[in-house]
């Protein structure tokens, strides 16, 4: 009877501690009742019916499944909180064992009563202190810092090594130890997977923050430029009106006004970028590339229809994909001199970034010489480049990024206004 009561208090303490780690109030639910019944069945079997020791491992699995089913959080958070519950309770038992030993155990030695007293004191401490020390903060810290992932990995490695040592010393395969080793291996594999996944997520967040800082600054400069030009609009209007007094004929006035207005519209082309691009990051990115292209006398035309955030591609990936193609186009046109007829080569880049209900589409095209199909197929080979050895890394990486999104890249020669354009089209479908 005493042992059953001890087991009941122990599982109650685990459930209460787990609820605190999730930041919830502990409530008796059907999930908790099922877990208590399973726990009592295992403990009674171990104490009275000779169940093998490895059966106790199922208690940990059952508590983990309870956390998943009842709190409906992700696997990583549930694993972390279950492990923290074990650590917190074990640490309290270790701390309280010494004073209880000298106060009671030495005088009244009874294993069942001692364990009952220890579990009862632990339960009181957790219930009392949980209002002052929020265990959820510990959980949040471990998730944010990934400290617990490392701790679990170390714990699993030591457990595996200890069990393996036992088997090697005895020279036989012990069923209980073998089951525990398999359990340790599965946990270790999951921990390594989550650890690697968290590192990749951290790298993605870092890349997004770097692009935010870079291109949002460019967007702010664009806004500042537009505001400065708005102050000049009164002067421009006065200049156009004053042309009446400096021309001798209607045709001359119309020509001067047309020329002057054309210059103003060309200068204010960047205003259209702000109005057409809802996404400030994308607008800042395009603006920075336009500035870079203008240094090489390259004209950039664009059509941007990207919302605040794309639904399937993170902003930093979208910018990275388009950036590879735009940088290649600028570099190719910067090296262009005269065409086969001896005329100056027309340097133009067309950029289109659109998001529709079914797909995200990126189109980058630049005036170019004609490329045969067998040559365009080699563009995405790692290390291949028409610009020399060791180049061509960008397009190879781009193809890998698009393939990861189950998208496609199409390379073609397109005749636009009598000029050949080398066009790269990326299509990534939203449909699964």
């Amino acid at each position: 009877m005493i042992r059953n009561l001890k087991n009941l208090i122990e599982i109650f303490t685990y459930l209460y501690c787990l609820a605190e780690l999730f930041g919830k109030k502990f409530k008796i639910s059907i999930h908790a009742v099922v877990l208590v019944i399973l726990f009592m069945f295992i403990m009674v079997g171990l104490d009275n019916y000779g169940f093998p020791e490895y059966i106790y491992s199922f208690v940990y699995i059952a508590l983990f499944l309870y956390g998943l089913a009842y709190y409906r959080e992700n696997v990583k958070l549930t694993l972390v909180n279950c492990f923290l519950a074990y650590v917190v309770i074990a640490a309290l038992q270790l701390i309280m064992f010494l004073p209880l030993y000298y106060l009671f155990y030495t005088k009244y030695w009874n294993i069942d009563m001692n364990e009952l007293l220890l579990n009862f004191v632990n339960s009181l401490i957790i219930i009392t202190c949980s209002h002052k020390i929020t265990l959820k903060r510990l959980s949040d810290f471990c998730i944010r810092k990934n400290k617990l992932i490392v701790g679990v990995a170390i714990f699993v490695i030591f457990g595996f090594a200890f069990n393996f040592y036992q088997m090697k010393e005895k020279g036989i395969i012990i069923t209980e130890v073998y089951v525990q080793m398999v359990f340790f291996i599965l946990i270790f594999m999951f921990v390594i997977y989550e650890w690697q996944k968290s590192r990749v997520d951290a790298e993605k967040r870092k890349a997004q923050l770097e692009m935010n800082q870079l291109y949002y600054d460019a967007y702010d400069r664009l806004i500042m430029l537009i505001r400065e030009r708005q102050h000049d609009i009164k002067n421009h209007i006065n200049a156009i009106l004053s042309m009446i007094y400096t021309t001798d004929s209607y045709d001359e006035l119309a020509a001067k006004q047309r020329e002057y207005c054309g210059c103003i519209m060309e200068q204010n082309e960047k205003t259209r970028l702000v109005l057409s691009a809802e996404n400030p990051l994308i607008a800042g990115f395009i603006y920075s590339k336009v500035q870079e292209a203008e240094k090489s006398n390259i004209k950039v035309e664009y059509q941007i229809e990207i919302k605040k955030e794309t639904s399937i591609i993170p902003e930093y990936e979208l910018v990275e994909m388009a950036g590879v193609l735009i940088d290649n186009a600028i570099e190719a046109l910067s090296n262009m001199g005269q065409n086969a007829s001896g005329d100056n080569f027309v340097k133009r880049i067309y950029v289109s970034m659109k998001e529709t209900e079914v797909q995200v589409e990126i189109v980058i095209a630049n005036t170019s010489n004609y490329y045969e199909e067998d040559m365009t197929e080699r563009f995405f080979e790692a290390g291949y480049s028409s610009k020399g050895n060791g180049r061509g890394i960008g397009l190879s990486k781009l193809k890998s990024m698009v393939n990861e999104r189950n998208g496609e890249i199409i390379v073609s020669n397109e005749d636009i206004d009598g000029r050949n354009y080398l066009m790269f089209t990326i299509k990534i479908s939203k449909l699964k």
Side-chain angles (χ1 to χ4, degrees):
M1 179 66 182
I2 294 176
R3 198 161 187 82
N4 290 339
L5 184 59
K6 182 268 299 185
N7 293 332
L8 193 62
I9 293 176
E10 182 179 3
I11 188 62
F12 169 79
T13 307
Y14 273 117
L15 291 174
Y16 192 92
C17 185
L18 193 63
E20 291 294 323
L21 288 165
F22 276 107
K24 308 290 185 180
K25 289 185 177 181
F26 174 68
K27 297 179 180 179
I28 300 297
S29 64
I30 184 64
H31 302 85
V33 172
V34 171
L35 179 63
V36 170
I37 293 173
L38 178 63
F39 178 78
M40 296 300 295
F41 172 78
I42 292 175
M43 296 307 296
V44 170
L46 289 170
D47 294 337
N48 302 321
Y49 297 101
F51 282 9
E53 292 294 329
Y54 70 85
I55 293 295
Y56 191 79
S57 301
F58 290 101
V59 173
Y60 302 123
I61 299 174
L63 188 62
F64 173 71
L65 294 176
Y66 161 80
L68 279 179
Y70 184 68
Y71 294 105
R72 299 184 182 278
E73 295 289 350
N74 59 66
V75 174
K76 179 180 177 181
L77 179 60
T78 306
L79 176 65
V80 167
N81 285 344
C82 286
F83 185 76
L84 279 176
Y86 304 144
V87 171
V88 168
I89 293 173
L92 280 176
Q93 288 177 341
L94 186 64
I95 293 170
M96 295 306 303
F97 178 81
L98 191 62
L100 290 176
Y101 177 81
Y102 285 106
L103 288 173
F104 300 100
Y105 298 174
T106 55
K107 299 178 181 179
Y108 312 101
W109 183 257
N110 183 294
I111 295 178
D112 291 342
M113 285 298 297
N114 292 342
E115 290 183 356
L116 174 62
L117 180 61
L118 183 61
N119 285 334
F120 181 73
V121 170
N122 281 347
S123 181
L124 283 179
I125 292 174
I126 289 178
I127 293 173
T128 305
C129 297
S130 61
H131 299 291
K132 298 180 180 179
I133 302 174
T134 305
L135 290 178
K136 189 175 187 304
R137 293 180 182 176
L138 176 63
S139 173
D140 293 340
F141 174 80
C142 293
I143 289 292
R144 188 170 59 251
K145 298 295 184 181
N146 285 316
K147 300 291 184 183
L148 194 67
I149 298 296
V150 180
V152 172
I154 294 173
F155 171 78
V156 169
I157 291 172
F158 273 107
F160 179 81
F162 176 75
N163 288 332
F164 183 77
Y165 174 77
Q166 281 188 315
M167 292 176 59
K168 185 177 179 182
E169 283 292 309
K170 296 181 179 180
I172 58 174
I173 296 178
I174 305 171
T175 305
E176 293 87 345
V177 176
Y178 181 78
V179 171
Q180 289 181 12
M181 287 178 64
V182 172
F183 184 62
F184 281 141
I185 291 172
L186 292 175
I187 293 180
F188 183 71
M189 291 174 63
F190 175 77
V191 167
I192 293 298
Y193 168 77
E194 288 293 334
W195 192 2
Q196 182 63 28
K197 182 181 176 182
S198 67
R199 289 182 60 188
V200 172
D201 291 341
E203 291 174 358
K204 289 181 178 180
R205 288 194 296 270
K206 181 180 178 182
Q208 181 71 56
L209 289 174
E210 289 175 351
M211 287 193 177
N212 284 352
Q213 183 176 0
L214 178 62
Y215 295 122
Y216 271 96
D217 288 346
Y219 183 77
D220 290 339
R221 293 196 302 272
L222 175 59
I223 295 296
M224 186 65 69
L225 176 64
I226 293 171
R227 286 175 178 173
E228 290 174 356
R229 289 181 177 172
Q230 282 181 334
H231 288 295
D232 296 332
I233 193 67
K234 183 177 180 180
N235 295 330
H236 289 311
I237 293 174
N238 289 331
I240 294 172
L241 292 175
S242 65
M243 290 181 183
I244 300 173
Y245 307 103
T246 60
T247 54
D248 298 327
S249 65
Y250 173 79
D251 292 337
E252 184 182 357
L253 173 62
K256 282 189 175 183
Q257 288 182 339
R258 190 182 300 112
E259 181 182 0
Y260 191 87
C261 291
C263 292
I264 295 175
M265 291 179 64
E266 186 174 349
Q267 288 179 352
N268 288 306
E269 175 67 16
K270 298 179 180 66
T271 303
R272 186 174 64 84
L273 177 58
V274 175
L275 297 175
S276 62
E278 298 181 23
N279 190 313
L281 179 64
I282 300 299
F285 163 68
I286 296 298
Y287 175 61
S288 65
K289 293 304 177 184
V290 169
Q291 285 186 309
E292 185 179 343
E294 287 178 347
K295 294 177 182 178
S296 299
N297 297 318
I298 301 172
K299 182 175 177 57
V300 180
E301 298 177 2
Y302 46 81
Q303 186 175 4
I304 311 299
E305 297 177 12
I306 297 292
K307 299 177 182 178
K308 180 66 177 177
E309 293 180 358
T310 61
S311 56
I312 57 173
I313 307 178
E315 288 177 318
Y316 80 93
E317 281 192 25
L318 194 67
V319 167
E320 192 170 354
M321 289 179 185
V324 169
L325 295 176
I326 296 175
D327 288 343
N328 282 357
I330 292 175
E331 185 176 356
L333 291 176
S334 297
N335 297 328
M336 286 290 187
Q338 294 180 330
N339 57 22
S341 304
D343 300 326
N344 288 330
F345 195 88
V346 176
K347 301 178 180 181
R348 289 184 182 174
I349 296 176
Y350 173 73
V351 178
S352 173
M353 300 174 71
K354 296 181 181 180
E355 180 184 15
T356 65
E357 294 181 357
V358 296
Q359 68 178 12
V360 172
E361 181 185 80
I362 303 172
V363 178
I364 311 295
N366 62 275
T367 49
S368 168
N369 296 323
Y370 187 88
Y371 284 91
E372 297 294 339
E373 184 176 352
D374 58 344
M375 184 173 291
T376 59
E377 291 176 354
R378 298 189 60 193
F379 283 168
F380 300 100
E381 295 178 7
Y384 172 80
S385 174
S386 60
K387 295 170 283 189
N389 295 328
R391 311 290 287 280
I393 304 299
L395 288 178
S396 176
K397 180 183 177 181
L398 174 63
K399 186 175 182 179
S400 299
M401 292 175 65
V402 175
N403 288 341
E404 288 177 3
R405 295 283 176 182
N406 296 320
E408 61 174 340
I409 306 179
I410 303 170
V411 186
S412 60
N413 292 278
E414 301 292 337
D415 185 277
I416 303 175
D417 296 331
R419 296 186 180 91
N420 184 71
Y421 279 75
L422 181 64
M423 182 175 292
F424 291 81
T425 303
I426 299 174
K427 295 182 178 180
I428 298 178
S429 176
K430 294 183 179 181
L431 304 178
K432 296 182 179 181

